[in-house]
Amino acid sequence: MASDKDELYERRIEYLTPRLKQLIKVDEALPHLQLEAGLKERIRRKLNTDGNESAAELLISLVAGRPHPVGWFRAFVDALNHGGSTHAADYLELNPPDPEVEAENDYFVELIRLFTSSLQDLKTEEVLTLCFAQGLLTAADQEKILAERAIHGNKQGAGELLRRIVKCRPGWFSEFREILRLTEHKHLYELIGGPNECDKQKNVAATEETPAESCQSEEPMEISGTEESQDDATDLYSSTDLSKSMDNLHPDLSGCPAPEAAGATRGGPEEISLRDYQMEVAKPALEGENIIICLPTGSGKTRVAVYITQKHLDSRRAEGKPGKVVVLVNKIPLVEQHFSTEFSFLRLKYKVERVSGDSQLKISFANIVQRNDIIICTAQILENYLERATSGEDEGVNLSDLTLIIIDECHHTQKGEVYNHIMMRYLKQKHKNKQLTKLQKKPVPLPQILGLTASPGVGGAKTLNKAEEHILRICANLDASKIMTGSINKKEQRKTILPVEQRKEDPFGCVVKTIMAAIHEHARLFPTCDLGSQNYEQWAVQTEREAAKDGNKTVRVCADFLRWYNEGLILSNTIRMCDALSYLDKFHEEQMKKKTSPDEEQNMQITETERFLFNLFKDKKEELEKLAKDPTYENDSLSKLRTKILQEFSSRKEARGIIFTKTRHSAITLSQWIQENPKFADIGVKPSYFIGGGDQSNTKPMTAAEQKDVLKRFKTGELNLLIATTVAEEGLDIEACNFVIRYGHVTNEIAMIQSQGRGRAEDSTYTVVDVKNSGVAEKEYVNEHREQMMNKAIQKIKKYDQSVYNKQITEFQIQAIMEERVRQVNQKKKAVKDENPSAVKFSCRHCTKYICSGEDIQIIENMHRVNVTQQFRKLFIQRENASLQERRLDYETNGVIACSDCGQTWGSMMWYRGIELPCLNVKNFVVDINTKKYSNCTRWTDLPVKFPDFDYIEHASLMAQGSDDEDME
């Protein structure tokens, strides 16, 4: 039975339904509503078939329908607020606009609807950028509008923008109209009431002339629509001055650090203002020098880069020269982040585009560079196209095509890193230019270089001199004339290290160690390192490789199982015992599945060793389950983490934090542990995990869309605790936190500085929780020492006489170039020794069965190795694997292929331009090259073999011919 309050809410909703239907954004509000999945799907279908208002009406009826769960009305209002329907929420909370304001707003809504056909000619992307920056539209609005524009064209995208903007709170109209003016939509600006130039002159003169006398030289404005709409428009122009001053309008760059943190002062639409310390570090770059900007996380490095970019392009445009800026990042999510937030401001004046491995652009990167002023991309894409230019391909890009390169997280410009490959091309050309100048020949133009970092690190240095050398080498690699640090006061941060205590009893771990000891005895293995340690894992990996190479099936499979048991031990010291058991149980289930064909008609080979291993776990599983349920034996580190989280959320008005952990699996399970603990819910902890998008781990990665959604919810406060892997340490726009915890995982001083920098709020804390066998407490003390050494080294370098500095940089650059030449010579020698594919044999890593010769392997896009022979197809089975599914431009992988005898995974089944092709992963094979066996190949590039390119036309023709033959039969 509904309470009196519920009935009151019902009547309120019923009365407001006509208004709410107009204002609710169903697609944004729906995810935040506490409705059953079936009801949500019903609403989505309504939205797709009948439109937003019909879907909103259905949504309202379902929310208001009885029986009501406790707090249903408040939950509805919160869902509207979180889902971008704040104006609708205002009505429900009895906070509507004043009648005069409401009537005026209704008039503006109707005006936009009347002139929709004309307004759909606007430049959707430019207008959207400012609407988003001004807070008129949400990120979800932006995503929907851009998607509509991409699929159906600009008019449809503009229509979607108009449908969404009229749902804003009153005040949106004058801001929207001014945005039309700023984006040079003069006709549309005047169409909806913006004064034309003659009107402005009239207002300035303040004359009393009649409308008939004014602007007589102007042509009459054409207004489409009915006579009523023409009358409405006439009334608007003649009798109502609705234009409001917009002198302060500017993009707020909402994705940038908060003004307090980043030093962002508000400027007009044509400028970005910097604080003194930001201008201090930017000054040499504004004068054309190559520099590294080293500022703490959250202090506005990217904002400085945007400012430098604008000034660079402005000055070149003023000189009549073309400008071309490339912003390089090392993670795919950063491409979209920079494009949609930090650099979005510049889209008002310049053409900005982004490209990454996730891009769906159908034109080449070279064309994108040619057609745009600013290109934001992953470094590997630029390197690929620089290589194309070097090899003489038409679609390449040259460094001389660019005028400014910005390198984000530039401390990665070291040997082996893609940033360094790009800069090595730069340095070679720079020193060639010196020779050209001596010969009085024209040098090749090179771009200006701007590096950004929060910490260059010390590269493992143990002395100040070595730390100094490490930083100088990074400066040399970036050809930086200076490293700029700025005069900024670093706020004090309370830091605590919670050491690990000796575990009183660990019967769960003892059982796991008993299983491992039995495996040691079975395989006659004698490890000397501690079980549950990193050293043991390395021993197990090496033992498995040697056994695979030797064809010792018993040792190979035992070493593989031991590695998983070792990880289980590590997890039992990090997370709950039940999570560690679940991890081991899942592993055994997957191994058993490999021994069953997809159609379940026949079981595959199960060796005596495999049967022994399966039974060993089966016999101990019940005992492990019993122990895992007893909280008495939980690890002390988890207890300390629990206490620390409770302390942070209990002592703060609004707590917001990040917990860094080592693996994706531990991040997911820690999030589940927090969600399942009522003590955390009682104090308002709202957690989620945040992990990487690569597929190198056994745990399913997060997609870019999932990462974006989590970060968005964290910013809005829907989430207030992230449990993250190292993916959250660098670059990503994580909301300011007031506490950071590193849980059982510490790497180097760079990661320490980056993760500490996530605690940007005042009175923030940084805590390290030690875990058994992790050694994180000792590593953290070392990192603190390295950070101090790094800061001293930077200050010493800044005091160098410029001539001394230049000499040292030149010396390091020449050394780097010489080392690169030696490497290339060795590579050429290696290329000469490249083996004929016929000399290469592949065997199944698990059962040692011969699979194919290198002659059967072909390569697609210099990346994917496939075997399209009919003989090979008889050797494998195919399984579905949802975690493997991924989409690219011309191919997708949607399953795995595995040995038909033993179930060992060999690779994936991919669709390439309509053809199904088995794609191999070299790590799943033992490779024999002229009778010498290799079991440690993790990449195809490790093999000194050149495989022929896949001939798509020939293969497609053969398949088509076979299909025709079948049809004739």
Side-chain angles (χ1 to χ4, degrees), residues 564 567 571 583 586 590 662-669 672 689-703 706 725 881-884:
W564 284 81
E567 182 63 25
L571 289 175
Y583 180 80
K586 182 180 178 182
E590 289 174 350
K662 182 178 180 181
T663 66
R664 294 176 180 178
H665 183 77
S666 60
I668 293 170
T669 50
Q672 291 172 344
Y689 63 86
F690 185 80
I691 60 177
D695 59 358
Q696 295 84 5
S697 168
N698 293 306
T699 304
K700 183 180 177 181
M702 289 184 88
T703 65
E706 288 171 334
T725 54
N881 190 336
S883 65
L884 252 186

Side-chain angles (χ1 to χ4, degrees), residues 819-835:
E819 289 175 353
E820 176 67 9
R821 286 178 181 171
V822 171
R823 187 189 68 80
Q824 288 182 343
V825 169
N826 292 336
Q827 197 170 30
K828 287 180 181 179
K829 288 180 181 178
K830 180 182 175 182
V832 172
K833 295 178 181 178
D834 272 353
E835 300 290 348

Side-chain angles (χ1 to χ4, degrees), residues 80 82 117 263 469 471 548 633 745 939 957:
L80 295 181
H82 291 313
S117 59
E469 180 182 323
I471 297 168
Y633 304 122
H745 181 51
R939 299 172 300 177
S957 299

Side-chain angles (χ1 to χ4, degrees), residues 604-791:
M604 299 176 188
Q605 299 174 2
I606 298 182
T607 65
E608 286 300 318
T609 294
E610 288 171 336
R611 188 170 287 108
F612 163 77
L613 292 169
F614 290 144
N615 289 334
L616 189 59
F617 181 72
K618 183 180 178 182
D619 293 342
K620 295 292 185 181
K621 185 176 177 181
E622 185 176 343
E623 184 179 0
L624 288 171
E625 287 175 341
K626 182 178 179 181
L627 291 169
K629 294 175 182 177
D630 191 340
T632 307
Y633 304 122
E634 288 290 6
N635 65 75
D636 176 66
S637 299
L638 200 60
S639 300
K640 288 185 175 180
L641 179 62
R642 180 192 297 112
T643 301
K644 184 61 183 175
I645 296 171
L646 292 172
Q647 176 189 337
E648 292 290 350
F649 277 89
S650 300
S651 61
R652 298 180 185 276
K653 186 176 180 181
E654 289 187 14
R656 188 191 299 262
I658 301 180
I659 300 172
F660 288 102
T661 187
K662 182 178 180 181
T663 66
R664 294 176 180 178
H665 183 77
S666 60
I668 293 170
T669 50
L670 283 172
S671 178
Q672 291 172 344
W673 167 64
I674 294 170
Q675 289 171 350
E676 294 168 8
N677 192 322
K679 287 186 178 179
F680 292 127
D682 290 344
I683 58 173
V685 182
K686 295 171 285 187
S688 176
Y689 63 86
F690 185 80
I691 60 177
D695 59 358
Q696 295 84 5
S697 168
N698 293 306
T699 304
K700 183 180 177 181
M702 289 184 88
T703 65
E706 288 171 334
Q707 289 178 334
K708 186 177 179 181
D709 179 64
V710 169
L711 293 183
K712 176 185 174 183
R713 293 163 64 201
F714 190 61
K715 288 179 182 179
T716 61
E718 184 182 348
L719 301 172
N720 54 22
L721 179 63
L722 293 185
I723 301 91
T725 54
T726 53
V727 69
E729 286 176 349
E730 288 188 6
L732 287 176
D733 182 24
I734 307 283
E735 192 75 1
C737 301
N738 44 33
F739 73 90
V740 173
I741 301 172
R742 291 197 72 97
Y743 182 61
H745 181 51
V746 168
T747 52
N748 57 26
E749 72 282 0
I750 295 176
M752 181 189 75
I753 294 168
Q754 295 277 9
S755 56
Q756 283 180 341
R758 295 299 171 202
R760 303 178 192 176
E762 290 299 322
D763 194 33
S764 64
T765 63
Y766 175 81
T767 305
V768 176
V769 180
D770 203 353
V771 169
K772 183 180 178 182
N773 291 335
S774 69
V776 300
E778 293 83 356
K779 291 177 184 176
E780 190 70 11
Y781 291 129
V782 170
N783 287 338
E784 289 175 355
H785 170 68
R786 287 175 173 172
E787 182 186 10
Q788 294 170 2
M789 193 160 55
M790 178 193 75
N791 292 330

Side-chain angles (χ1 to χ4, degrees), residues 195-209 241:
N196 58 32
E197 291 302 314
C198 193
D199 291 332
K200 291 178 181 177
Q201 293 171 12
K202 178 183 68 176
N203 290 337
V204 171
T207 63
E208 296 296 325
E209 63 184 327
D241 181 16

